[in-house]
Amino acid sequence: GPIGGTVLYPGTGKSLVVTISPLTQIVVDSNVGGYFGPLLKFAGWDALEIQGKADRDVIIFIDGDTGRVTIEEAPLEPVNTWPLTDQLTAIYAKNEADRRNVSVVSAGQGSEHTRIGCLNVSWYDARRGKARVKQAGRGGCGTVLRDKKIKAIVVRYTGLKADSNDPADMKRIRAVGQRINKEIVELDDQQNRMRRVGTAHLVEIMNDYDLLPVHNFKYGSHPEVVKIHSKVWEKLFTQTHPDSCFYGCTMACSKGVDEFTLRTGPYAGQRVTVDGPEYETVAGCGSNLGIFNPPDIIELNFYCDTYGIDTISFATLTAFVMECYEAGILNLERTGGLDLRFGNAEAMVKCVEMIARREHIGDLLAEGVKRASQQIGGDAPYFAMHVKGQELPMHDPRGKLGLALGYAINEAGADHLTAVHDPALANPESITFKGAQPLGITEALSPLELSPRKARNYAVMENWNSFEKTIGLCFFGPAPRSFIQADEVLAAVRAASGWDVDIPDLLRIGERATNLARIFNLREGFGRKDDTLPERLFQPLQGGALAGRSVPREEFEQALTALYELKGWDPETGVPTRARLAELGIAWAADLL
């Protein structure tokens, strides 16, 4: 985005991967860190579009130092991200010191053989002497890369400086960055402890408020979560090195487990650095599968990343098949001999291999949870937790009803990055609003309220989060507090870009993007009938403080209608009105329908 790679402001190393999802057949965008986006920009390009397919494996090399782009055959290099990323970093760097100027985008054999493939985007960690990776996980982005026979995309750019993104006002962006960096350093330990444990700080919070998926979203909490909460990960994560996935990011939340000895699979016995696990992986490959042993979660994390398999889709998919197995819908013969009871970590590690190779039950699961449930039939579709074909992330909306709207209406299917930053927090009394409320959110609503008021809050936050993705800003820097810090983000945008804009202009950017995605999906046959939730979420939560709580169906439909009206969409069909599209400056989009 326009402020991507602004070294003086935290969280500007993000990129968006946009494609048609092999899971859903509709548009998907996946947000990812690492060095690729900024280095691509500094090499001379603000965007990269890849059309067509190669007939054999290739590597695309973008050399920002010479201004050349080459497409090279790649018959000998491995496919899987580990060790491919290390090899390509060494090959394309001029020397050891130059490795930090190289970024690799790759996807492994799991992306090649499934619809749930993720992309791995690298940065070179000079202190560890290793290339590390972040994931563009959702919607099968890695599947698309491998379908095009691309083994990797490599960019090199030497000479990164504080002003490489040429900020419009260097003095101002420096001051804005210093202000937010000071806040992060002073307040993070009191708030989220992202600098120590990354997103794993969410585990106990989600458990305390019955938001943590357990056993395929049957429950919202579990007594054994103490074995996998953030205090455990704090001891496992290396705390002696800063963990920024882009230069200058004070949040430094890209945690990793160093010197982890793999116990299974083709890399058994190897000592590796495992990036993460992030909250989504801890909750997905942990509590949702009934696994409460950190080394098992780390092992699953490593193999999903290495094979290029989205850990969110993998976790929701395998929790589904575990419930089918325990319900007697599947047996040992159909699972390829795997005893798929909840908590069986050994079976889960084998399941990753089967999915990555499309062997036995893996051939079915590689299709994603929606298609797998349809092929199994019977009661299986009830256990399939997805929206529009995309597997649910690890936030149960029965304990935070704003998520229900977010999951249902998101154009990519169930998505946590757009939906989860709803200002109805678990403890709304803790919210203090500053100044003139630049986002127009004037009250903190209970997480258990679902109403037109909640729809209004969600509409504002959806546009804001969409804008932040578009601009090139990370959700984990200033963004998690963006509804009270929109003025800080605005100051950064003005200083970096030189644009004479205000908060409504930024919201308009986000709203324009969501409306264009909506138009595309409508053209593909999706509409209000698809803006719904898995049936299980309309049923009572089992156990915990919120036992019996569900997404109230009637209130959900009323809030959805209110949200459509707020967005300027026809309340019956979900089609944006021509008048609203004209207000957004994209009236031409109506002619695509």
Side-chain angles (χ1 to χ4, degrees):
I3 70 169
T6 304
V7 175
L8 296 171
Y9 193 79
T12 60
K14 287 287 188 169
S15 310
L16 277 184
V17 182
V18 184
T19 187
I20 306 305
S21 168
L23 275 173
T24 64
Q25 304 304 311
I26 52 179
V27 66
V28 65
D29 62 82
S30 201
N31 188 276
V32 64
Y35 286 4
F36 184 82
L39 295 186
L40 180 73
K41 174 184 283 288
F42 303 148
W45 289 273
D46 288 299
L48 169 65
E49 180 177 340
I50 302 175
Q51 298 183 358
K53 299 182 183 183
D55 58 6
R56 67 201 73 183
D57 277 345
V58 298
I59 292 171
I60 300 173
F61 177 44
I62 303 162
D63 189 346
D65 294 344
T66 65
R68 291 174 55 84
V69 179
T70 55
I71 301 176
E72 307 167 1
E73 290 190 29
L76 301 178
E77 294 82 0
V79 171
N80 292 330
T81 291
W82 190 90
L84 175 64
T85 300
D86 275 332
Q87 290 187 14
L88 294 185
T89 300
I91 289 170
Y92 286 98
K94 299 170 185 175
N95 50 48
E96 177 70 30
D98 193 44
R99 294 187 183 196
R100 63 188 307 169
N101 301 316
V102 173
S103 181
V104 178
V105 179
S106 63
Q109 69 184 81
S111 287
E112 190 172 312
H113 296 144
T114 76
R115 293 180 185 267
I116 58 172
C118 76
L119 288 181
N120 290 296
V121 177
S122 80
W123 82 98
Y124 189 73
D125 189 326
R127 288 180 174 85
R128 288 178 171 86
K130 295 178 180 179
R132 300 175 61 192
V133 289
K134 301 294 285 185
Q135 289 72 40
R138 307 307 335 261
C141 298
T143 301
V144 176
L145 190 84
R146 288 304 296 140
D147 185 63
K148 293 177 176 293
K149 296 289 187 183
I150 299 172
K151 190 169 283 186
I153 309 170
V154 182
V155 63
R156 180 178 67 204
Y157 174 81
T158 304
L160 176 65
K161 303 186 297 295
D163 62 351
S164 287
N165 196 27
D166 194 18
D169 189 332
M170 190 71 174
K171 182 178 179 180
R172 191 175 182 189
I173 193 64
R174 190 183 300 276
V176 173
Q178 287 174 345
R179 192 161 61 235
I180 192 66
N181 284 331
K182 182 174 183 290
E183 177 178 324
I184 289 171
V185 171
E186 291 180 351
L187 299 181
D188 182 58
D189 275 348
Q190 304 171 36
Q191 295 180 349
N192 298 331
R193 298 189 302 126
M194 292 277 283
R195 285 155 56 87
R196 294 184 178 273
V197 296
T199 57
H201 77 274
L202 283 168
V203 178
E204 53 264 43
I205 297 173
M206 304 296 277
N207 188 71
D208 289 347
Y209 289 96
D210 278 328
L211 298 168
L212 183 73
V214 177
H215 291 193
N216 197 30
F217 290 83
K218 276 187 186 178
Y219 314 103
S221 60
H222 196 281
E224 290 190 75
V225 78
V226 67
K227 298 177 181 178
I228 58 169
H229 69 26
S230 66
K231 292 292 186 182
V232 175
W233 296 109
E234 185 170 2
K235 294 176 182 177
L236 291 169
F237 293 152
T238 302
Q239 300 291 345
T240 55
H241 302 314
D243 282 309
S244 303
C245 73
F246 183 59
Y247 300 99
C249 184
T250 313
M251 187 61 76
C253 64
S254 299
K255 301 296 139 187
V257 179
D258 285 315
E259 299 300 315
F260 181 77
T261 302
L262 297 167
R263 302 164 296 165
T264 66
Y267 304 113
Q270 298 278 353
R271 295 174 71 83
V272 296
T273 291
V274 182
D275 286 283
E278 303 279 2
Y279 163 74
E280 294 291 330
T281 304
V282 176
C285 296
S287 60
N288 208 31
L289 303 183
I291 296 171
F292 296 94
N293 182 37
D296 293 329
I297 297 171
I298 296 169
E299 191 100 359
L300 288 169
N301 190 160
F302 171 83
Y303 274 111
C304 282
D305 289 353
T306 290
Y307 292 146
I309 294 175
D310 174 24
T311 57
I312 298 176
S313 286
F314 168 79
T316 302
L317 177 64
T318 49
F320 152 78
V321 80
M322 285 174 138
E323 187 163 10
C324 287
Y325 181 80
E326 291 200 349
I329 298 172
L330 296 174
N331 54 31
L332 286 173
E333 181 180 357
R334 296 188 70 181
T335 65
L338 292 184
D339 179 9
L340 293 177
R341 290 169 297 158
F342 284 111
N344 190 343
E346 182 180 354
M348 281 296 95
V349 174
K350 292 178 180 176
C351 199
V352 176
E353 291 279 343
M354 287 184 174
I355 292 173
R357 300 176 186 275
R358 270 193 177 264
E359 295 174 347
H360 303 296
I361 190 71
D363 186 46
L364 173 67
L365 298 182
E367 291 292 302
V369 75
K370 179 181 179 180
R371 289 178 176 82
S373 69
Q374 291 169 341
Q375 291 185 44
I376 294 171
D379 293 332
Y382 176 79
F383 301 142
M385 304 299 290
H386 70 89
V387 174
K388 301 182 180 76
Q390 178 156 276
E391 290 81 7
L392 254 64
M394 302 303 135
H395 308 255
D396 193 321
R398 287 171 290 191
K400 188 180 176 190
L401 294 177
L403 287 172
L405 289 174
Y407 284 173
I409 204 170
N410 190 273
E411 300 308 331
D415 174 75
H416 61 294
L417 287 182
T418 299
V420 79
H421 300 301
D422 171 359
L425 300 183
N427 181 15
E429 291 78 17
S430 70
I431 301 175
T432 57
F433 290 99
K434 300 192 302 184
Q437 299 316 306
L439 291 188
I441 296 173
T442 57
E443 58 182 335
L445 304 178
S446 164
L448 300 181
E449 176 179 337
L450 187 56
S451 66
R453 294 194 308 166
K454 180 62 71 68
R456 183 175 184 276
N457 277 8
Y458 178 78
V460 174
M461 289 307 300
E462 179 189 48
N463 292 337
W464 184 254
N465 291 327
S466 177
F467 151 71
E468 287 192 329
K469 288 192 293 183
T470 306
I471 205 72
L473 191 61
C474 178
F475 285 104
F476 301 144
R481 299 177 296 282
S482 60
F483 59 93
I484 61 173
Q485 290 184 322
D487 51 345
E488 295 285 354
V489 175
L490 175 63
V493 171
R494 286 173 169 172
S497 67
W499 298 346
D500 182 18
V501 290
D502 287 310
I503 295 296
D505 300 312
L506 305 186
L507 290 169
R508 180 183 172 93
I509 291 170
E511 187 175 2
R512 187 182 295 120
T514 56
N515 273 270
L516 287 172
R518 183 72 175 186
I519 291 290
F520 179 90
N521 290 353
L522 287 164
R523 191 183 71 176
E524 297 304 301
F526 288 75
R528 175 156 186 163
K529 69 182 188 307
D530 305 291
D531 293 341
T532 188
L533 299 169
E535 181 62 27
R536 166 162 280 170
L537 298 182
F538 293 114
Q539 305 304 318
L541 189 67
Q542 300 181 33
L546 293 181
R549 184 77 188 182
S550 65
V551 176
R553 197 184 303 269
E554 184 175 350
E555 293 176 26
F556 169 79
E557 292 295 338
Q558 291 171 351
L560 189 62
T561 297
L563 183 55
Y564 281 4
E565 291 172 345
L566 287 163
K567 292 169 72 68
W569 297 358
D570 183 282
E572 298 298 324
T573 63
V575 176
T577 63
R578 185 175 289 271
R580 186 61 185 150
L581 294 175
E583 289 175 11
L584 295 171
I586 50 174
W588 53 267
D591 298 328
L592 299 177
L593 296 176

